[in-house]
């Protein structure tokens, strides 16, 4: 199993045997947070990466933002789909060894209504410390978990929920770093490295990391996806493609950083 890193400036590709060698600034205890708009997204885009991270001792967490309420194909499941998907999520991630899955339960298909942060009212989803909203929840989890790396779905994914989660996750990194909203915990004191995975749409630019697995890891990922029984018709075309492809996943480093005017000085000297 290999990990290949492509230098975006030179185009040079370097091959490593372990994630710990390939991912820069590896810490003695890495903690990775995978933010999944829907329960199956991260498994589709990063099921092999998740397993390889666990093999190398990474503390892996998955944060699912929506309740999956719109993901039914059978009318008989319309009123029970949230509970059904909750059980499927637990089984699917456990099947690849991930036991730390956090559910925010924001309404599937309506995440745009929960952008930002506001005081919660009775019945609001995702309530933490008296507030609701994606920025409130994401800031809380960044401060609680202090991840060394954060993985998002590509901004180019087609589902509007994916775009909203990406946008809210990025601004929440800034919030978590600063001393606002003290009830959500102390500031992180730094920024994690940010990466993107792809599920439905391509990357916005060429991925910089190629993660290779074994056929066993690939089959375990596919068996885990099969446990999303209620979603089989929805993800069938994606799973079919994955079955035909090698045991490989791609990752793009997002390159999150704050504005620094010094970056542009060379252009005017």
């Amino acid at each position: 199993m290999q990990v290949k890193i492509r230098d975006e400036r030179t185009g040079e590709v370097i091959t490593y045997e372990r994630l710990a060698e390939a991912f820069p600034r590896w810490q003695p205890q890495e903690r990775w947070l995978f933010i999944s708009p829907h329960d199956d997204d991260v498994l589709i885009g990063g099921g092999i990466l998740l397993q390889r991270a666990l093999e190398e001792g990474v503390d892996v967490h998955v944060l699912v933002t929506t309740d999956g309420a719109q993901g039914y194909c059978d009318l008989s499941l319309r009123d029970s789909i949230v509970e059904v998907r909750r059980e499927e999520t637990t089984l699917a991630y456990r099947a690849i060894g991930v036991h730390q899955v956090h559910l925010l339960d924001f309404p599937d298909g309506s995440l745009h209504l929960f952008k930002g942060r506001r005081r919660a009212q009775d019945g609001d989803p995702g309530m933490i410390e008296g507030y609701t909203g994606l920025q409130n929840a994401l800031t809380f989890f960044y401060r609680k978990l202090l991840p060394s790396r954060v993985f998002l779905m590509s901004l180019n994914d087609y589902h509007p929920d994916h775009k909203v989660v990406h946008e809210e996750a990025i601004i929440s990194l800034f919030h978590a770093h600063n001393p606002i909203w003290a009830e959500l915990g102390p500031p992180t004191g730094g920024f994690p490295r940010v990466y993107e995975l792809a599920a439905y749409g391509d990357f916005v630019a060429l991925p910089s990391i190629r993660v290779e697995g074994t056929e066993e890891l690939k089959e375990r990922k596919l068996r885990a996806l099969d446990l999303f029984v209620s979603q089989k018709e929805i993800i069938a075309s994606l799973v079919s493609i994955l079955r035909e492809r090698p045991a490989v996943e791609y990752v793009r480093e997002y390159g999150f950083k704050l504005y620094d005017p010094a970056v542009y000085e060379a252009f005017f000297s």
Side-chain angles (χ1 to χ4, degrees):
M1 295 188 296
Q2 297 179 331
V3 184
K4 293 187 176 182
I5 305 293
R6 181 181 57 82
D7 189 310
E8 294 185 352
R9 295 169 299 173
T10 66
E12 180 184 10
V13 176
I14 304 174
T15 300
Y16 301 91
E17 297 301 320
R18 301 175 64 241
L19 300 177
E21 300 167 346
F23 281 77
R25 299 181 185 175
W26 189 272
Q27 300 179 13
Q29 179 54 70
E30 286 275 318
R31 178 175 291 148
W32 291 8
L33 175 60
F34 291 78
I35 301 177
S36 194
H38 307 95
D39 44 22
D40 50 7
D41 295 325
V42 157
L43 191 52
I44 292 170
I48 292 173
L49 176 61
L50 283 164
Q51 293 177 80
R52 289 207 56 181
L54 289 168
E55 288 176 352
E56 295 194 29
V58 176
D59 182 19
V60 172
H61 293 255
V62 174
L63 180 64
V64 181
T65 60
T66 60
D67 61 6
Q70 299 302 319
Y72 61 89
C73 296
D74 185 333
L75 282 177
S76 67
L77 291 176
R78 183 171 58 183
D79 296 330
S80 61
I81 190 64
V82 171
E83 285 304 317
V84 168
R85 292 187 70 169
R86 190 178 305 230
E87 293 175 8
E88 292 173 350
T89 298
T90 299
L91 293 173
Y93 282 100
R94 282 183 180 173
I96 61 165
V98 176
H99 297 276
Q100 300 181 102
V101 180
H102 313 275
L103 306 176
L104 294 181
D105 284 335
F106 285 107
D108 185 13
S110 302
L111 282 186
H112 62 286
L113 299 176
F114 290 89
K115 294 174 72 171
R117 180 184 195 250
R118 65 172 184 269
R119 283 196 177 276
Q121 300 177 357
D122 288 345
D124 273 343
M127 184 169 64
I128 298 173
E129 296 294 340
Y131 286 80
T132 189
L134 283 162
Q135 289 178 36
N136 185 68
L138 290 167
T139 299
F140 171 78
F141 274 97
Y142 286 153
R143 290 177 177 174
K144 177 182 179 181
L145 298 177
L146 297 176
S148 50
R149 303 179 201 273
V150 170
F151 295 81
L152 310 173
M153 303 312 297
S154 171
L155 186 59
N156 221 25
D157 262 330
Y158 302 126
H159 200 301
D161 282 350
H162 290 214
K163 297 180 185 297
V164 170
V165 170
H166 193 291
E167 186 178 88
E168 296 290 277
I170 292 299
I171 187 59
S172 295
L173 288 171
F174 181 76
H175 295 328
H177 172 72
N178 289 291
I180 62 171
W181 309 342
E183 65 269 40
L184 299 181
T188 57
F191 297 107
R193 297 183 82 99
V194 182
Y195 303 84
E196 293 179 331
L197 307 170
Y200 293 89
D202 288 334
F203 293 98
V204 296
L206 285 175
S208 52
I209 304 171
R210 180 184 187 272
V211 178
E212 181 182 306
T214 62
E215 282 301 310
E216 181 183 356
L217 293 183
K218 172 186 166 181
E219 287 305 314
R220 193 180 299 157
K221 166 183 172 174
L222 293 172
R223 287 196 300 270
L225 285 170
D226 285 341
L227 293 172
F228 286 105
V229 177
S230 69
Q231 303 305 295
K232 277 193 174 180
E233 293 91 341
I234 297 173
I235 64 175
S237 58
L238 293 174
V239 172
S240 177
I241 292 172
L242 293 175
R243 289 190 190 281
E244 296 173 359
R245 300 294 185 266
V248 170
E249 291 172 347
Y250 294 93
V251 183
R252 176 177 178 265
E253 184 159 13
Y254 180 74
F256 176 85
K257 59 182 179 180
L258 298 181
Y259 169 66
D260 182 353
V263 171
Y264 303 101
E265 188 59 36
F267 293 99
F268 295 90
S269 60

